[in-house]
Amino acid sequence: MKELKRLVQLNNNTVMPTVAIGVWQSRHETEKAVTYALNHGYRHIDTASVYGNEEAVGKAIKKSNIKRESLFITTKLWNEDIRKGKTREAFEDSLKKLQLDYVDLFLIHWPVEGNEDAYLVMEELYKEGKIKAIGVSNYRKHHLEALLEKTNIVPMVNQIEYNPFIQDDETLEFCRQHHIVVEAWSPLGSGACLAVQEIQDIAQEKRKSTAQIILRWLLQKGIVVLPKSVHERRIIENINLFQFELSDDEMTIMNSLNRNQRTGPNPDRFDF
Ligand code: A2P
């Protein structure tokens, strides 16, 4: 079996675990979910200021007593703060809520007007050592091209919706060419992809869950996964991805399921 790495090196040599616990929509169950995740070996947590749960994430981290250097914590800059030119203030607020003195990865959440200026402030915070890696989220190829033209540091990460139903391979390929690691949000299509017969057939054959098949497919494509769950059994399942592999034929079947159908907003047409 071809060994898959549990860590990926970003373009500034920072190292990031390839599976994170996502906490979008985890609401009041966030602290519990993050605690389960940390207990079961997750070391990468993906949150955002707009999720309203940075404090809960911070509490779970503190309670875990895990060394800060062993953790990889991502948060994101919200659209209103970008529009108001409040990048530095918003970042400090996130740090305070998380009870941290640095974050491992800070992302522009959506490519709203003013994103390039916000990114330049993030470059400063990065140089000050308050952020170990900087990046973007929900950028399609043309958003990245515009950003690269006006800024100095190539983003280390682009976090996009990517799952069997929405495979934006143009953006994926552009990121590969520029050494930008792609992370998949809603890797399970918020659960919708779990009902696909072709994936269930592969899961049955492999004696794995449908979620595991989808997550392993993404890892084999070199994409970092951020599955969200608040249930301990599923949280365990979603990181248990390294003892099996998909064949080339199975990868081809998964690749063929694209419907260009998003479960979340379209980065070219959102109104928030
Ligand atoms: P829950 O939090 O109740 O476990 P995505 O990460 O694509 O947004 O998908 C998240 C959705 O999929 C949530 O509704 C989550 O529910 C569910 N989910 C997460 N992991 C699994 C799993 N291993 N099996 C079934 N459903 C899952």
Side-chain angles (χ1 to χ4, degrees), residues 15 23 47 55 68 79 81 89 114 116 133 152 176 199 207 234 236:
V15 169
V23 294
T47 185
E55 274 155 339
R68 176 67 185 92
N79 301 353
D81 297 310
E89 293 89 330
E116 290 99 348
N152 311 301
R176 281 194 184 132
I199 310 179
R207 295 172 182 270
R234 291 176 175 175
I236 296 170

Side-chain angles (χ1 to χ4, degrees), residues 71 152 166:
L71 295 170
N152 311 301
I166 172 70

Side-chain angles (χ1 to χ4, degrees), residues 24 185-191 194 209 211 226-231 234 237-238:
W24 178 48
W185 64 259
S186 278
L188 309 174
S190 291
L194 298 171
S209 75
L226 321 166
K228 173 263 175 187
S229 180
V230 295
H231 294 103
R234 291 176 175 175
E237 192 178 296
N238 292 349

Side-chain angles (χ1 to χ4, degrees), residues 59-244:
K59 277 189 200 161
I61 293 172
K62 187 132 208 183
K63 266 196 342 206
S64 76
N65 282 322
I66 294 171
K67 280 199 296 220
R68 176 67 185 92
E69 316 84 83
S70 310
L71 295 170
F72 192 100
I73 313 298
T74 301
T75 193
K76 311 184 193 85
L77 179 64
W78 185 237
N79 301 353
E80 277 314 296
D81 297 310
I82 297 174
R83 292 192 183 103
K84 289 184 184 155
K86 295 219 181 259
T87 300
R88 192 171 275 272
E89 293 89 330
F91 172 72
E92 294 294 344
D93 190 48
S94 287
L95 270 192
K96 203 188 287 172
K97 287 182 172 149
L98 288 162
Q99 301 185 56
L100 299 177
D101 49 19
Y102 71 91
V103 295
D104 297 276
L105 178 63
F106 195 45
L107 304 177
I108 300 249
H109 208 146
W110 287 87
V112 297
E113 207 176 324
N115 71 92
E116 290 99 348
D117 288 338
Y119 191 85
L120 290 171
V121 178
M122 283 166 52
E123 290 186 354
E124 287 169 17
L125 291 163
Y126 171 67
K127 286 182 190 148
E128 291 164 24
K130 292 177 174 170
I131 305 172
K132 302 294 178 197
I134 55 177
V136 296
S137 184
N138 299 303
Y139 279 49
R140 304 200 62 217
K141 178 179 176 229
H142 69 92
H143 298 114
L144 285 165
E145 284 169 337
L147 183 81
L148 291 181
E149 234 172 69
K150 295 187 185 144
T151 57
N152 311 301
I153 301 176
V154 176
M156 285 119 216
V157 166
N158 182 22
Q159 183 180 127
I160 57 176
E161 183 179 359
Y162 197 105
N163 57 52
F165 290 169
I166 172 70
Q167 304 181 32
D168 179 357
D169 289 334
E170 184 187 45
T171 299
L172 182 64
E173 192 46 41
F174 184 87
C175 288
R176 281 194 184 132
Q177 282 164 10
H178 290 82
H179 306 289
I180 301 169
V181 168
V182 170
E183 297 181 331
W185 64 259
S186 278
L188 309 174
S190 291
C193 299
L194 298 171
V196 175
Q197 190 60 51
E198 289 91 331
I199 310 179
Q200 290 181 354
D201 290 345
I202 299 175
Q204 199 172 15
E205 165 91 19
K206 290 240 154 350
R207 295 172 182 270
K208 295 289 165 194
S209 75
T210 318
Q212 286 173 313
I213 299 301
I214 297 172
L215 297 170
R216 175 74 196 195
W217 163 68
L218 291 163
L219 291 182
Q220 285 186 213
K221 285 169 81 78
I223 299 175
V224 168
V225 294
L226 321 166
K228 173 263 175 187
S229 180
V230 295
H231 294 103
E232 188 169 21
R233 190 186 57 75
R234 291 176 175 175
I235 288 171
I236 296 170
E237 192 178 296
N238 292 349
I239 200 171
N240 200 348
L241 306 171
F242 297 91
Q243 262 77 52
F244 70 101

